[in-house]
Structures are given as structure tokens and as C-alpha cells.
Amino acid sequence: MPLPEGQLCTIEDIQSVAAPVLAYLESVGYPATPDLITTWIKNASRQLEIETNRQFLPTRATEWYDGNDTQTLVLRRFPVLKVHQLRIWGGRHFLIWEFPPDKIVYEGEYTPEEYQNSELVVRRETGVLNITLGLLEWFMPLRMQPPLFIWNRRFVLGRQNIEVDYTAGMGVPDPNDPDKFLPEPTYEVRYAATLLTAIKVVDYAAGVNLGVVSRTLGERTENFGGQGIFGTLRQRWMDELYGTPQRPGLIMRLKALTPR
């Protein structure tokens, strides 16, 4: 089920995981309003992307790449939801090639006939583009601006001459706009965003608990440390996210293996 725009988890997720903290805030007269929780969720969603060097929220952008004289181009962001436009330039005003949207297919989602008629194959999960033009399409003067020349079916060697307009992230198409996508993260991504948001809730609670760092019941005194009465809970969430010496955390498992 798609989530609200800009969010990798929902208010209901936070209410489930951080229920004791939210109940405490309510009891001391500092309730966490839906608008406040939504702000925390959006901040935590962006933080998760930064810490993992990944793209989870569907985001559309135009990027420029150096032509590498091969048939393969690796995009900075993945997974790829849609390539809206791809152009290869030979100079500031010299367009060598523009791939029509109906000639762009996605790996695992095309028929043999669609592949034969395609010009570009997109590998969604890895953000890799492959040119697939056949030999008979090397020279198509009706598709090229003068001066005409034989194109070698590659990302022509150059500096910042490949223009790619695409959307990357985890999402599903918006039923009201085919070029727009709504977030639909995997369980691990959603849970990591939930924990990051829950930590923000605890930090907020620590700021309003009026310096309560310990409590005494009979002869027993319990110290909570700088994070107040929910310090132990916060540390457990931190261990789940960032790991311990014995096991890696969610952040490490979600982190991109290579920088983009």
C-alpha cells in the first residue's frame, strides 16, 4: 500500500513502536500532534537516505553524465522507477540522439517483440542503462540533426553530454499522474524509518521531562541518564539501527555497496 508523499513510514507505525513515549508526552501535557509526528517522519526519511547513500523516496531529477564510449551507463540513484527522457549531445546545440519513451523498456517487463523494437533497456534495481539499437538503426537521418554522421550506438565520449531525466526510489505509480510515484518501501526500509522517527520522539520527550533523570521506588533507585526515562528504549532502537559489535544493524544492511 503506498504511503503519503515524502514519508517512508506512517503515524500508525510510530504509534505502534513508540506507544509508551507518546503516552508519557500526553500525560505531562506535551502531546505529539499528528503534524509534529509527520514532520519527524519526513526528517527521518531523508536522514535514512543520507546515512545509507540510497534513494528510497520517489524523486524525479535531471542529471548529466560524462559519455564513456560504451553501451552502458550507470545512474547515481536506484532503484529506477521511470526514465522520462534520455538525450545524447555532441555539443551545446548538437543533439545526436533522443530515445523515444515507447522505445525504452525495463528488464523483466518486456516481451520478445518489445525487446526487438527497443532502443534502451533499464535495469531498475541497479540503475544501469543499456543501449540495444540494432545494426540497421545505426544511421537514421530523420532522427538526427545536421551535421549527419554514423552514430556508433554508444554513449558518445564527452564531458557532461548525457542528459537523463528519471525518477528513482521505491514507489508505485500515482493513479492520477503516470509520471508521478508514491512511496512504497520494503519492510526493512519502513521499519528503519520508524525507528529513526521513534528516536526523535524520545529526544523530544527528554527535552520536556523537566530534568527527570532518575526515580526511586522504596530502596531502589533507577538512573535514566541524559535521555530521561526512555534512555534504555532509545539505546535498544539505536542498536537495531546501527548494530553492535556482535551483529550489523539495519543501516549497514541497507547501505549502498558502492558510492554513486
Side-chain angles (χ1 to χ4, degrees), residues 210-224:
L210 304 179
V212 178
V213 295
S214 66
R215 65 183 175 188
T216 300
L217 297 175
E219 297 181 353
R220 178 184 174 189
T221 299
E222 185 177 4
N223 294 311
F224 307 123

Side-chain angles (χ1 to χ4, degrees), residues 60 82-86 101 104 106 165-167 178-179 181:
R60 180 174 179 176
K82 185 174 183 178
V83 175
H84 304 278
Q85 187 177 63
L86 175 56
I104 301 175
Y106 299 84
D165 175 12
Y166 70 108
T167 298
D179 285 331
F181 295 82

